[in-house]
Every structure is written in structure tokens, then in C-alpha cells.
């Protein structure tokens, strides 16, 4: 059943979004030169840079997937960000002074000065590929979830989110992105703090916040640190400190969507302070978002929760041949909930280890029920598609005598559409739906509208940064650099606006064809990890290995990218380690090629 929003929620949601879009468009109208449009006139203060950098990274995926990650697996995901403060210090000491001294508009301008045009172009193209895909996902993430939960058409949602972003990003460029992100971060912080307060108040009065933390700890949700060296474990202190540092170095040091945020700074000091602000507050912010997810988990220790948070999936399986099995699981979960509720209340008073152990066992059993429910849902969906496929094939055979008839063509198109639907239907994975379902079912009127505004604001802030950066790279590193004559400032601003519009449309199209992964925030980081290590290695070669020439780097980068993609495809290592692997590999290959003097 889809949620019907109260008029107050609609008013809060629409007013918040229109205010942000209107303010950004009005505040930054009339940019006439590249300096203003691409670098925001270099007037941005450090706190605005810091908030803009955080808003660029904090997409809707952050709030939907991170809370779902915490609900399922606890606080361990925060280790992913442990390398961020280290990366911020290195970027402030090495990258920013260089970019500032050269007065570059993009990070890749430096590579042409150091190597050659083809290396600059290759690195820019690698950026366009991975960031173009990511831009589509940042639109798709809230759209697919709001589509399923509220019953809104997903294509319409993709277009609405993309169009809102395009309006002010085309109008004001980098400055529009930066000034709107301050408003968006205010909405995001206010919404998440309000959500946490409400969640804690929804937990029984006899259970304090400390008790809630204790209940979460008993089920392993508060385990933050994992010092194991197990490569099968995605999130450990070492993957965060090593793989995470290399990922963050590449993301914040070479990804134009972030570089463009601090290149708009008033001075080098403002740029550095803005990044240090991000390094200081980003990890606590992620910890806080994960804590919200953990508190939702505690809430469901005292309140019944669905086996699967996607109503459509539940309805599909209940109407299938597997309906009775699913109902049996629901009955088992209901009995389990009664025991779990009693144990959670008991733990709040007696704090005994025995109670903790029992509660942990019940949590493990519930996890097995949820896993089993996903298998049943998948079977039901597969069976539904299989039956439809058999029927369509039979009807198609009956029309095969006249394969050019309208009826045959129509039935053939139906079959093709079924293939597409079957390929995209991954509605067994409900982790990303948990938080939005909780918001709609349990939060008060008004706050629902605010939290939906948080999700859409986060989507807009990240997407705006991405299409702004994509347009800048396309305009300056590819289009402008290959022009045979200088077309002037007004022409370049006009073309950058057209590229912004074009990339916005591309992002919307990608969003319309996107698909759910195991977890959306992991999907974005996987895409980044496939490309970032290679790009970072190219920059480190430029910074520290002066005898390495452009041909060796260009060829080494092509070979490295092919090997990294193969390594990801064959699952050689957890994806975070691809950042270190790609970085070291391109450095090694470039050295070998240069030493052989084959490319001098």
C-alpha cells in the first residue's frame, strides 16, 4: 500500500525544494566569464567550501543506504571513512598549493603541463565515464525508492529531480552549486537531528538512550572497530586507513566534482581550511547517520517490523505459490518479536550477559528469516516472469505465420519488455528502503515532508556538483583545449551551460536505466574504486617522479585500467583495495616502460 502524504508534508517538501532552487538561481544570475562561472569568482569562504564539499559527497544514497547498512550490519561501515582525515591533510599540503600556484580551472590542466595533451585527455575521459555513471545513480537512488514507496512513476521522479538541479546549475554554474549546498546542508542536518530525537522518543519510556545503545551492542550493531586482516571482510580499520585513504585522496584531490568546490575559494588558506573542516566533521557526520539507522533497529525491537520493507515484494510473494511459506515465516517472526521485545526490556534493567547472549541469538534467527524471505520473494518473482514468458511465447508462436503483422510485432515487443523487466527487477533487496519506510510509517506529519526534502536535497546537491564538474571538464579539458582559435569568454560560458544541460539530460537517462545493487552506496564507491586508483597514480607520477614522461604514463594508464576492470570483474579483492592496487600498478608499469626507454 502506497503512502498518502498529508498536505502539510507536501507544503514542507515543495516549499523547501523551491526555496533552494529559487535562491540558487536568483543569487548567481548573470555570470559572464569563465572565472565566475567555473570558479565562482574565487569569493568562497572556508566554511562554505567545507559545507559544499560535504554536501557533494552526502548524496541521497548516504541517508538511505547508510541507515540501511547500519540497520543490517551495524556501525562498522564508519571505518570506510577513517582514511579521510589523512587524505585531507595530504591534499592541503601537496595538491592545493600546486593547483593554486598554476591557477588551473580543472585538476587535469596540470597533467598537460607535466606530461602531454593525450594524458590530460585520457584522465579527463576516465573522470567523465565514472562520474557520469555516478551522477545517474545519485538521481536514481531516491527516485527508485520514492517510486516504490509512494507509487510515483520513476521516470517522472528522475526528470523532476534532474530538472530542478539543471535549472540553477545551468543558470549560475559553480557559485550556484556552492550557495545552494549551504541551504541543503542546513535542511539535511535539521532533518536528521529531528529524526534521531523522534526515534529516541518513540522507544519505550523505561528504555533510556544508554539502554538503547546497550541493546544495539548486544546484537553486534555497535561494533565499530575491526582490526582483522581478513580480505573477505569489506570494512576493517585497515581497509579504511589504507584503501580508504587512497580512495579519498583520489576523490578529493583529482575528482573535479570536489576539486571545483575548493578551487572557488577566496585564497589558498580558505581552500585548505575548507578541506580540513570536512576532514574534521565528515567522520562524525557519518557516525551520526549510522547511529540513526541503529536507533531505527532498536525501535523495531519494541515494535513489529515487516520481513521485507518493500510492500510490492511482499504482495507479490503472498499472491504466489510461495504465499503459505511466506505467511509461515511471518508467523515465526511474530512469535520471535514477542520474545525479542521481552528480552530487550529485560536487558534495559538487568544488564546481564545471559540476556545479551539470548538477544543476540534471536537477532541471528530473525536475520535468517529475512534471508529466507528474500529467497521466497525471488522465487515468486522468477516464477511470475517464467509463467508470463511461457504464455507470451505460446501466443507468439500462434502468430508466427505472419511475422510482419501488427499483432506479431506487438507481442514480440511485449516479450522484449518482459526481458527488460526481469533484468531490472531486484526487489528482494530492501536494505535501501528501510529508512524511508520507517519515515512514512512512524514519523509525525510535517517531519515526513522535511525528511523527504532531506533525501531530495541530498540528491540535488550531489547531482549539481557532478554535472557542474562534468560540464567543466568537457568544456575546458576537451572542447576548449581542442579549439583552433580563441572563441572568447562569452562563448565558453555559453558552451559550458550547454554542456551542463547535456550532462544533466545524460544523468537523467542513466537514472532511467539504472538498477539496484546489493547496496547503492556500495555501488557508487565500487564505480569510484574502479577508476580512482589509476587516476591518483597518474597524479602521483606527475608530482613525485619527474623523469617519467607522458608516453609511459599514457600507456601505463591504459594497461592499468584494463587490469583493474578485470580484477574487479573476477573479484580478486574487496573493492576498496582496488584504489591502492590501481595506484601502485600504474606507477609500476610507467616506471618499467620508462626504464626500458621505449617511450622516451
Amino acid at each position: 500500500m502506497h503512502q498518502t502524504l498529508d498536505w502539510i508534508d507536501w507544503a514542507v517538501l515543495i516549499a523547501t525544494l523551491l526555496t533552494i532552487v529559487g535562491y540558487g538561481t536568483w543569487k548567481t544570475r548573470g555570470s559572464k566569464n569563465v572565472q565566475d562561472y567555473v570558479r565562482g569568482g574565487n569569493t568562497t569562504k572556508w566554511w562554505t567550501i567545507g559545507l559544499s564539499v560535504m554536501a557533494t559527497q552526502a548524496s541521497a544514497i548516504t541517508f538511505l543506504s547508510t541507515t540501511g547498512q547500519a540497520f543490517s550490519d551495524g556501525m562498522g561501515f564508519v571505518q570506510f571513512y577513517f582514511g579521510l582525515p589523512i587524505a585531507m591533510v595530504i591534499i592541503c599540503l601537496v595538491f592545493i598549493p600546486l593547483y593554486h600556484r598554476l591557477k588551473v580551472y580543472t585538476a587535469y590542466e596540470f597533467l598537460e603541463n607535466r606530461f602531454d595533451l593525450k594524458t590530460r585527455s585520457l584522465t579527463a575521459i576516465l573522470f567523465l565515464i565514472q562520474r557520469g555513471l555516478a551522477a545517474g545513480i545519485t538521481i536514481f537512488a531516491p527516485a527508485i525508492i520514492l517510486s516504490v514507496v509512494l507509487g510515483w512513476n520513476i521516470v517522472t521522479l528522475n526528470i523532476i529531480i534532474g530538472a530542478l538541479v539543471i535549472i540553477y546549475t545551468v543558470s549560475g554554474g559553480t557559485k550556484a552549486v556552492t550557495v545552494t549546498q549551504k541551504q541543503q546542508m542546513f535542511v539535511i542536518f535539521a532533518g536528521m537531528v529531528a529524526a534521531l530525537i523522534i526515534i529516541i522518543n518513540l522507544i519505550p519510556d523505561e528504555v533510556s538512550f544508554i539502554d538503547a545503545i546497550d541493546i544495539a551492542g548486544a546484537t553486534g550493531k555497535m561494533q565499530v572497530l575491526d582490526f582483522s586482516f581478513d580480505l573477505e571482510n569489506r570494512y576493517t580499520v585497515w581497509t579504511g586507513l589504507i584503501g580508504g585513504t587512497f580512495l579519498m585522496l583520489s576523490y578529493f584531490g583529482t575528482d573535479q566534482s570536489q576539486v571545483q568546490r575548493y578551487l572557488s575559494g577566496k585564497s589558498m588558506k580558505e581552500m585548505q581550511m575548507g578541506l580540513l573542516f570536512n576532514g574534521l566533521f565528515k567522520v562524525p557526520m557519518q557516525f551520526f547517520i549510522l547511529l540513526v539507522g541503529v536507533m531505527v533497529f532498536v525501535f523495531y525491537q519494541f515494535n513489529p517490523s515487516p520481513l521485507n520493507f518493500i510492500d510490492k515484494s511482499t504482495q507479490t510473494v503472498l499472491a504466489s505459490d510461495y504465499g503459505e511459506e511466506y505467511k509461515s515465516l511471518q508467523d515465526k517472526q511474530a512469535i520471535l518479536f514477542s520474545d525479542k521485545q521481552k528480552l530487550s526490556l529485560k536487558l534495559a534493567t538487568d544488564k546481564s550477559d545471559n540476556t545479551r547472549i539470548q538477544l543476540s541469538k534471536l537477532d541471528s534467527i530473525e536475520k535468517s528469516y529475512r534471508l529466507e524471505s528474500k529467497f521466497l520473494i525471488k522465487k515468486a518473482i522468477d516464477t511470475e516472469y517464467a509463467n508470463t514468458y511461457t504464455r507470451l511465447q505460446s501466443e507468439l508462436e500462434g502468430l508466427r505465420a505472419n511475422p510482419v503483422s501488427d499483432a506479431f510485432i506487438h507481442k514480440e515487443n511485449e516479450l522484449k519488455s518482459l526481458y527488460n523487466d526481469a533484468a531490472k527487477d531486484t526487489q528482494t533487496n530492501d536494505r535501501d528502503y528501510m529508512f524511508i519506510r520507517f519515515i512514512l510509517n512512524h514519523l509525525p506529519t510535517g517531519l515526513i515532508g522535511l525528511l523527504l526534502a532531506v533525501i531530495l536535497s541530498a540528491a540535488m546537491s550531489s547531482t549539481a556538483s557532478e554535472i557542474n564538474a562534468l560540464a567543466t571538464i568537457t568544456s575546458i579539458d576537451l572542447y576548449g583545449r581542442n579549439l583552433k582559435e580563441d572563441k572568447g569568454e562569452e562563448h565558453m560560458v555559453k558552451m559550458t551551460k550547454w554542456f551542463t544541460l547535456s550532462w544533466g539530460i545524460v544523468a537523467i537517462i542513466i537514472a532511467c536505466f539504472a538498477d539496484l545493487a546489493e547496496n547503492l552506496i556500495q555501488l557508487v564507491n565500487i564505480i569510484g574504486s574502479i577508476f580512482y586508483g589509476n587516476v591518483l597514480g597518474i597524479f602521483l607520477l606527475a608530482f613525485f617522479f619527474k623523469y617519467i614522461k607522458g608516453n609511459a604514463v599514457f600507456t601505463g594508464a591504459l594497461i592499468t585500467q584494463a587490469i583493474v576492470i578485470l580484477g574487479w570483474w573476477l573479484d580478486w579483492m574487496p573493492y576498496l583495495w582496488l584504489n591502492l592496487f590501481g595506484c601502485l600498478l600504474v606507477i609500476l608499469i610507467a616506471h618499467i616502460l620508462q626504464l626500458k626507454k621505449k617511450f622516451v
Side-chain angles (χ1 to χ4, degrees):
M1 184 179 296
H2 298 125
Q3 179 80 21
T4 302
L5 295 185
D6 191 277
W7 71 266
I8 297 175
D9 293 311
W10 279 114
V12 171
L13 175 61
I14 294 170
T16 303
L17 297 182
L18 290 184
T19 298
I20 290 170
V21 173
Y23 178 79
T25 305
W26 171 77
K27 188 77 174 174
T28 58
R29 64 199 183 282
S31 298
K32 298 295 183 186
N33 58 66
V34 178
Q35 174 77 3
D36 283 346
Y37 194 79
V38 173
R39 293 183 55 165
N42 288 108
T43 58
T44 311
K45 298 292 185 67
W46 66 267
W47 60 84
T48 302
I49 292 171
L51 289 172
S52 182
V53 167
M54 291 174 73
T56 296
Q57 194 179 17
S59 69
I61 301 170
T62 301
F63 301 96
L64 296 170
S65 282
T66 305
T67 48
Q69 180 85 16
F71 180 89
S72 298
D73 301 325
M75 301 290 291
F77 183 68
V78 78
Q79 296 170 110
F80 171 83
Y81 295 94
F82 281 3
L84 188 141
I86 301 170
M88 295 303 96
V89 172
I90 295 171
I91 291 169
C92 286
L93 293 176
V94 178
F95 290 68
I96 289 180
L98 190 60
Y99 292 155
H100 185 260
R101 185 171 70 250
L102 295 174
K103 293 181 168 35
V104 296
Y105 288 105
T106 78
Y108 311 116
E109 284 182 72
F110 162 71
L111 294 179
E112 182 178 358
N113 295 331
R114 171 63 179 83
F115 296 125
D116 49 36
L117 176 59
K118 66 177 181 294
T119 303
R120 171 185 180 178
S121 299
L122 173 63
T123 314
I125 290 168
L126 290 177
F127 167 78
L128 292 177
I129 293 170
Q130 67 90 7
R131 188 47 60 189
L133 290 170
I137 295 169
T138 56
I139 294 175
F140 169 72
I144 184 66
I145 291 164
L146 291 173
S147 161
V148 171
V149 173
L150 299 176
W152 300 350
N153 181 274
I154 186 169
V155 174
T156 303
L157 280 164
N158 286 331
I159 293 171
I160 290 171
I161 297 169
L164 288 172
V165 170
I166 288 170
I167 289 169
Y168 65 83
T169 310
V170 170
S171 170
T174 295
K175 194 170 184 179
V177 174
T178 302
V179 298
T180 52
Q181 284 179 327
K182 283 196 296 185
Q183 327 303 323
Q184 287 160 334
M185 285 306 290
F186 173 78
V187 171
I188 287 167
F189 283 137
M192 294 306 288
V193 169
L196 181 62
I197 292 170
I198 295 294
I199 293 166
I200 292 171
N201 285 331
L202 289 174
I203 294 171
D205 293 339
E206 59 267 38
V207 179
S208 68
F209 178 68
I210 300 299
D211 294 333
I213 294 292
D214 205 23
I215 291 167
T219 54
K221 296 294 186 290
M222 294 306 297
Q223 184 177 343
V224 176
L225 303 177
D226 183 346
F227 289 95
S228 71
F229 288 94
D230 183 6
L231 287 180
E232 296 299 315
N233 194 345
R234 283 178 175 172
Y235 304 113
T236 67
V237 169
W238 312 115
T239 56
L241 286 176
I242 301 173
T245 296
F246 278 82
L247 174 61
M248 300 304 174
L249 270 176
S250 189
Y251 178 52
F252 290 98
T254 71
D255 188 309
Q256 186 66 20
S257 64
Q258 284 292 5
V259 172
Q260 202 156 329
R261 307 282 68 77
Y262 55 79
L263 284 183
S264 67
K266 193 173 182 180
S267 66
M268 185 172 77
K269 184 179 178 182
E270 298 281 350
M271 297 178 196
Q272 290 169 325
M273 288 180 65
L275 271 195
L276 291 175
F277 173 87
N278 177 61
L280 185 63
F281 287 102
K282 179 63 177 177
V283 177
M285 175 184 166
Q286 292 301 131
F287 187 93
F288 179 82
I289 295 168
L290 285 163
L291 184 62
V292 170
V294 168
M295 286 300 105
V296 174
F297 169 81
V298 174
F299 167 84
Y300 280 123
Q301 305 309 295
F302 301 100
N303 298 271
S305 66
L307 270 176
N308 191 285
F309 286 97
I310 308 173
D311 282 349
K312 180 184 173 184
S313 300
T314 302
Q315 291 162 9
T316 298
V317 70
L318 288 175
S320 73
D321 293 338
Y322 303 96
E324 289 304 316
E325 284 184 68
Y326 197 85
K327 286 178 184 176
S328 175
L329 272 181
Q330 288 178 318
D331 292 340
K332 290 178 182 178
Q333 189 200 24
I335 296 169
L336 188 74
F337 166 71
S338 178
D339 294 336
K340 187 174 62 172
Q341 186 181 44
K342 292 172 185 174
L343 279 173
S344 297
L345 287 169
K346 185 180 178 185
L347 182 60
T349 56
D350 70 11
K351 308 292 184 186
S352 73
D353 289 340
N354 185 50
T355 306
R356 286 188 175 87
I357 292 169
Q358 290 181 59
L359 191 58
S360 178
K361 286 180 179 177
L362 292 185
D363 184 58
S364 297
I365 294 170
E366 185 168 42
K367 279 184 177 178
S368 71
Y369 290 165
R370 291 187 184 280
L371 185 61
E372 193 174 343
S373 75
K374 288 177 171 59
F375 285 135
L376 289 176
I377 289 169
K378 188 174 189 315
K379 283 181 180 179
I381 291 172
D382 289 346
T383 301
E384 186 177 49
Y385 281 127
N387 291 339
T388 307
Y389 172 82
T390 302
R391 176 179 59 79
L392 287 175
Q393 276 282 54
S394 176
E395 293 173 2
L396 200 62
E397 285 300 320
L399 297 167
R400 196 168 292 281
N402 189 5
V404 295
S405 68
D406 289 342
F408 183 89
I409 293 170
H410 174 73
K411 197 61 64 178
E412 194 172 46
N413 287 335
E414 261 192 88
L415 196 60
K416 288 178 182 176
S417 176
L418 179 72
Y419 283 135
N420 293 332
D421 289 344
K424 289 190 295 183
D425 202 334
T426 53
Q427 299 301 320
T428 60
N429 177 33
D430 65 335
R431 182 180 295 187
D432 295 322
Y433 294 78
M434 180 280 300
F435 189 50
I436 187 69
R437 173 56 64 195
F438 170 80
I439 289 170
L440 294 170
N441 285 353
H442 300 288
L443 294 189
T445 299
L447 189 57
I448 293 174
L450 179 61
L451 266 294
L452 291 177
V454 166
I455 293 166
L456 293 174
S457 292
M460 288 162 57
S461 68
S462 292
T463 307
S465 295
E466 288 162 348
I467 65 172
N468 179 225
L470 289 163
T472 299
I473 294 297
T474 307
S475 176
I476 292 176
D477 288 290
L478 299 180
Y479 176 79
R481 179 59 186 83
N482 290 288
L483 278 178
K484 293 183 179 178
E485 57 183 88
D486 185 5
K487 294 286 189 179
E489 294 277 327
E490 192 170 337
H491 173 80
M492 289 305 296
V493 170
K494 182 179 179 181
M495 289 308 300
T496 306
K497 288 185 176 184
W498 276 110
F499 286 131
T500 303
L501 174 62
S502 301
W503 276 110
I505 293 170
V506 168
I508 292 171
I509 292 170
I510 291 172
C512 291
F513 286 94
D515 194 6
L516 277 174
E518 177 188 349
N519 185 257
L520 286 170
I521 196 166
Q522 289 183 10
L523 178 58
V524 170
N525 290 321
I526 287 168
I527 291 172
S529 295
I530 290 170
F531 293 94
Y532 278 146
N534 192 12
V535 173
L536 177 61
I538 294 171
F539 274 85
L540 294 182
L541 284 165
F543 291 152
F544 301 116
F545 301 95
K546 300 301 182 185
Y547 65 91
I548 303 290
K549 306 302 180 184
N551 284 338
V553 174
F554 179 81
T555 306
L558 287 175
I559 295 170
T560 296
Q561 197 58 65
I563 292 173
V564 170
I565 291 172
L566 180 65
W568 164 74
W569 184 260
L570 297 177
D571 198 21
W572 288 350
M573 63 192 77
Y575 70 83
L576 271 179
W577 289 102
L578 291 174
N579 295 281
L580 175 61
F581 177 67
C583 181
L584 296 180
L585 187 61
V586 71
I587 292 172
L588 176 63
I589 293 174
H591 270 84
I592 292 171
L593 294 174
Q594 190 66 48
L595 288 172
K596 291 176 73 172
K597 300 188 181 296
K598 189 175 180 180
F599 296 88
V600 175

